[in-house]
Amino acid sequence: MSPRGVAIPDVRERLFAAAERLLARDGPGALTSRAITAEAGCSKGLLHAHFAGGLDEFVADLCLDRFARTAHQAARLPEKAGQDSVAANLGTVAGTLLDSAGPVIAGLALTRPAAAQRIRTALRDGAPGFDAMQEAITDYLDAERRLGRLAPDTDTGAVALALVGTVHHLLMTGWAGAPDPRGQAERLVTMLVGPARAAAGDPG
């Protein structure tokens, strides 16, 4: 347990990681300010010292932080154009999206109206979220189309929307202990880019 008055490096990330462990292990019902700080090995009042809005602000910031991290990773997707297969690259980014704020975290936000409202307001005001991810995927698919690894008439924006929209749905409707949603995402990718290319990345 950290002594009173001693600074803790990266305290936000330490608390976020502790909350994720609690959610994965014990479910949303176990998530309290005291449980989070205990899991993180911090003093009891530390969460409220860094999140004046209490647990609702904490949950909202946790989701937004994970969304921003994933949007940053997705922004690098266009660099992968021409590498591996289109399906493999899309599958990787879909998996990253599903891990960004796993079903338990996303579901937790929905059960806390104040947290959900904070998230909606932040995304509306420009915080990185699903729109940024969709744009990055579209840019990547445009690059693959220019390389001839997608059909010239591929509607890249629609493919990106379908993938991001499906992942968003899987996040919002999942729960702890449910079947891994990656299989559904992989089947969607195969449908969107074609089974032959999904298997081998054949540029056609």
Side-chain angles (χ1 to χ4, degrees):
M1 192 72 66
S2 59
R4 185 182 299 275
V6 176
I8 302 173
D10 301 319
V11 64
R12 285 171 58 90
E13 178 55 34
R14 184 167 173 175
L15 292 170
F16 287 162
E20 288 178 318
R21 291 194 300 272
L22 275 171
L23 287 167
R25 187 179 67 232
D26 302 324
L31 198 70
T32 65
S33 300
R34 182 167 296 186
I36 293 167
T37 52
E39 178 73 22
C42 303
S43 60
K44 294 178 181 178
L46 191 65
L47 187 146
H48 288 277
H50 286 267
F51 300 90
L55 196 56
D56 285 323
E57 181 179 339
F58 175 85
V59 168
D61 281 8
L62 170 59
C63 287
L64 290 168
D65 180 85
R66 287 350 189 197
F67 289 160
R69 178 181 297 184
T70 305
H72 177 73
Q73 293 174 332
R76 302 178 60 183
L77 185 61
E79 300 171 10
K80 297 184 179 295
Q83 304 174 32
D84 207 337
S85 70
V86 176
N89 291 331
L90 290 180
T92 297
V93 76
T96 302
L97 291 172
L98 288 168
D99 288 338
S100 65
V104 176
I105 297 176
L108 175 66
L110 287 179
T111 66
R112 304 186 70 91
Q117 183 57 50
R118 281 178 178 272
I119 293 169
R120 284 194 294 269
T121 299
L123 293 176
R124 183 195 64 203
D125 292 344
F130 287 100
D131 287 347
M133 300 169 203
Q134 182 180 333
E135 182 178 346
I137 294 171
T138 301
D139 289 345
Y140 162 72
L141 292 171
D142 286 341
E144 293 286 24
R145 187 174 58 185
R146 289 192 294 270
L147 291 173
R149 302 215 306 165
L150 287 175
D153 60 350
T154 300
D155 187 338
T156 56
V159 172
L161 175 61
L163 181 59
V164 173
T166 297
V167 169
H168 184 272
H169 169 75
L170 291 172
L171 279 172
M172 293 299 107
T173 58
W175 62 89
D180 192 331
R182 286 170 181 76
Q184 293 171 278
E186 289 170 2
R187 289 196 296 274
L188 175 68
V189 167
T190 299
M191 182 190 73
L192 292 173
V193 302
R197 293 177 185 175
D202 183 359

